[in-house]
Amino acid sequence: MLKNSITFLGTGGGRVVVFRQMRHSGGMWLNIEGINLLIDPGPGSLVRIFERGFDTKDIDLLVVSHRHLDHSSDLNAVVESASESTKKPLDLLVCPQDVVEGEEPILLKYLRKGIKKIAVVKEGTLLSYKDLTVKATVKHIHKGAETYGLEFHGGGKKVVYVPCGRFYEGMLEGYSENADLMIFNTTFPKAIENGENTYHLTVPDVEKMVLRYKPKRAVITHFSVPMLRADPEKISARLSRKTGIPVASAYDGMKITF
Ligand SMILES: [Zn+2]
Ligand SMILES: [Zn+2]
């Protein structure tokens, strides 16, 4: 049986942590059913890929959850690298519309021929690639960007990615239950009054979702400064205790097999 794994190239989130590199950024490298996915190639992704012993040439699928730079800034660099300057196009880019269309797309026009197919997702989109099914599930509320929950199903395994967004009741319907791995962009320890974090998940939001969806294992990542101060390790330990489900806090370079 194939061993599936995910490596966190970076675990920083938000303006300060990412753009001052208090933690690395650059997304996640997921290997499922022998298919390599690079998810959210933020700042430094190209560097971290090689640093962790991966190679852009092995990328089958590129996934961008949304257009904010902490998730997408290295998209062009990765496409350039993976496709050998568009000579050997990579198979598939999966992303919401505003990553590739509209007034200010992230993907540069001249690099489009470096990708065979661009699949624009909306709520409910289902697409397959070899033995893998990619699902865009719940629409998230996130300022200035379109984004959806993303799921990757293959070989009887389910990986669920809950990207950035403000919690609302609708997020308690639509994701898969009992995922092998459920990854939460947990940017803040708690809601604060001035509204600065109202477009991101907080720890109590994640607790509700873990209890609702009962994944076999959960991971919190995408940490802001307040989250780092609160200590993600302590938070994940507390979440595990309160939910009865193993919750890990990601660190740069962390690899999980499943
Ligand atoms: Zn964002
Ligand atoms: Zn973000």
Side-chain angles (χ1 to χ4, degrees), residues 14 65-71 142-143 145 147 163-165 185 199-200 222:
S65 71
H66 66 288
R67 59 178 279 116
H68 289 157
L69 284 186
D70 52 334
H71 300 259
H142 198 46
K143 199 178 185 179
T147 189
C164 303
N185 283 359
Y199 288 98
H200 289 92
H222 207 57

